[in-house]
Every structure is written in structure tokens, then in C-alpha cells.
Amino acid sequence: MIKRKTFYDDGYQGHLVEGANFLGEEGIPELLDLKNVEIPRCLIPFTKLRTSKTKRGYVHFYVHDICFRQIISSTYNYLDLLKQFDGVVSPDPTIIIGKSKCLHATSTYFNRAVALYLQKHGIPVIPNVRWGDESTYSFAFLGIPKHSIVSISTHGCIKKDKENNNYLRMCFKNGLREMLKQLEPETVLVYGYMPDDIFKEFEHLTHFVRYPSEFEETRKKGDS
């Protein structure tokens, strides 16, 4: 049992990154090495943290931001629960294209800050990588060790939109290309669909492992 602590609440959760090395102009925390992670047997949504029938998988945050904001504001309170699982995919705060670059950098900061804090408490963490358009490339990939396992989600990011020339879909593919270039990951976990017109080009660069999203699973049950 982990003894609870009381932290001074400065609104920025500074205790998450005590002793961290910060990178880039935005000061993104650098993660520890990822030698204790493995390819997950399955991905378990944070919303099912207490109800999941299996603990043999990695907890993920590919759910609406409001469902996991407490992991950022009260990270310490979840250590006991998260330690019951094989590991964690770091949080996925939304990056909305067209919004403030400051907000995008803040989302990336908290992604790494929570991941680092969990690492320091012995929890295996696979970095979730999230980007927007080209303006996010200067910080979106910072703090993640090269040649490691990373995770991404296509859910909500690759919807076709002919009126806007599939702009969001194009941003996702361009960002994927840049991520592979900068991080050269050994393995990329993909939560959601993997259409050939996006992923086929990159098959020779890494090993992709796909996990169906909850949306997919729900549709399958509806069709059966």
C-alpha cells in the first residue's frame, strides 16, 4: 500500500517533474529509458480501471479528456490502482489543430509529466505520441527515447472530409511521417483503424501493432 501524501497545490503539479531534464523552448520533461516495457497483451481504457476483468494489459487514455483529467490533477492517488496492471500508455490530452500553440505544448508537457512520475514509481510506461499540424513538430516528439515502443491513436484523427480536402487526415499522415523520422521507433502501437492510404507507405520503417478501438468493438457487437 502506498502511503498518501499531501502536496502544495500550485496548479501546475510541479511535483510530477521533480529532478526532470527539460527539453526545447517549451520545457518538455524527458522520460526515463523504456527498457521495462513490452508489447501489451491488450489495451484497457482508463474508464474501466476499476471494473476491468483482466489486469494483464496496459491502461490507455484514448477517451474524452474529461474522463481522465483526475490522473493529471491527482496522479498520486492512482498509483496503487495502476500498479495492478502490466503498464500504462501515457495520457492523451487533446491537441486541436487551429488552437493556441501554448495549449498544444501544455498538453504535451502533461503527457510527459504524468508518464515520468509513473516511471519514477516503477510503473512501465509506453509514451503516447500526439501531434497536430507542422507547428507542433518542434515539441510533440520531445522527451521520448529513440528506438523504443510508442503508441498512437487514429480514433477521431483520420475522418475523411472532402470539403476541407481531408485536411485533418493529411495532418495525421504528415505527423506520422515526422514522428517516424525523429523517433525511429522500434514498434508503434496503433489504437484504431489503420487505412492503407496512410500506413502502407511506412510499413518498412517500423513494426506496427494494431488494437481495435472501443468504437470498433461496440460496432462489432451491434452487428452480431
Side-chain angles (χ1 to χ4, degrees):
M1 175 68 69
I2 297 172
K3 185 178 179 181
R4 303 301 182 198
K5 291 184 179 180
T6 300
F7 296 106
Y8 170 69
D9 184 6
D10 60 1
Y12 296 98
Q13 304 294 72
H15 64 279
L16 296 177
V17 294
E18 289 181 356
N21 183 34
F22 298 99
L23 305 174
E25 293 182 0
E26 294 79 7
I28 304 300
E30 183 176 25
L31 300 184
L32 306 178
D33 68 59
L34 305 174
K35 294 179 181 178
N36 65 339
V37 301
E38 60 184 8
I39 297 175
R41 295 173 174 82
C42 66
L43 296 182
I44 301 162
F46 179 73
T47 50
K48 295 183 178 178
L49 190 66
R50 290 180 167 85
T51 60
S52 176
K53 294 180 180 179
T54 180
K55 307 295 188 199
R56 303 312 307 272
Y58 276 56
V59 176
H60 74 80
F61 297 86
Y62 297 127
V63 295
H64 195 287
D65 294 58
I66 198 171
C67 297
F68 64 82
R69 59 186 179 185
Q70 62 267 42
I71 194 66
I72 294 175
S73 62
S74 305
T75 315
Y76 194 89
N77 294 331
Y78 289 88
L79 291 177
D80 284 334
L81 281 170
L82 293 174
K83 282 190 172 185
Q84 297 175 27
F85 295 83
D86 289 343
V88 173
V89 175
S90 63
D92 184 46
T94 298
I95 289 180
I96 301 176
I97 294 174
K99 297 296 184 180
S100 165
K101 184 177 179 180
C102 177
L103 292 178
H104 294 164
T106 300
S107 292
T108 303
Y109 170 89
F110 278 113
N111 170 311
R112 307 293 193 273
V114 172
L116 177 61
Y117 186 79
L118 298 180
Q119 283 186 313
K120 290 191 292 186
H121 282 83
I123 297 175
V125 177
I126 293 175
N128 166 63
V129 191
R130 174 69 67 182
W131 57 85
D133 56 19
E134 291 183 8
S135 69
T136 67
Y137 294 176
S138 63
F139 56 82
F141 315 114
L142 291 179
I144 299 175
K146 294 182 68 172
H147 312 298
S148 60
I149 301 177
V150 300
S151 182
I152 62 175
S153 172
T154 60
H155 186 62
C157 302
I158 58 173
K159 186 177 180 179
K160 292 183 178 180
D161 181 8
K162 292 183 179 180
E163 289 186 8
N164 294 297
N165 296 315
N166 293 323
Y167 182 67
L168 294 181
R169 194 178 178 94
M170 179 187 69
C171 285
F172 181 88
K173 183 173 183 178
N174 290 341
L176 176 59
R177 181 183 293 108
E178 185 66 20
M179 186 272 284
L180 294 172
K181 176 182 176 182
Q182 290 198 31
L183 299 181
E184 300 176 358
E186 176 183 291
T187 302
V188 178
L189 314 182
V190 181
Y191 179 80
Y193 293 112
M194 285 184 61
D196 283 347
D197 65 304
I198 292 177
F199 285 89
K200 192 73 174 177
E201 175 183 335
F202 310 116
E203 285 183 346
H204 66 290
L205 296 177
T206 189
H207 175 220
F208 289 105
V209 180
R210 190 177 97 81
Y211 298 83
S213 68
E214 276 205 288
F215 174 74
E216 290 179 69
E217 298 290 359
T218 301
R219 288 189 64 182
K220 287 179 182 178
K221 291 179 181 178
D223 294 338
S224 61

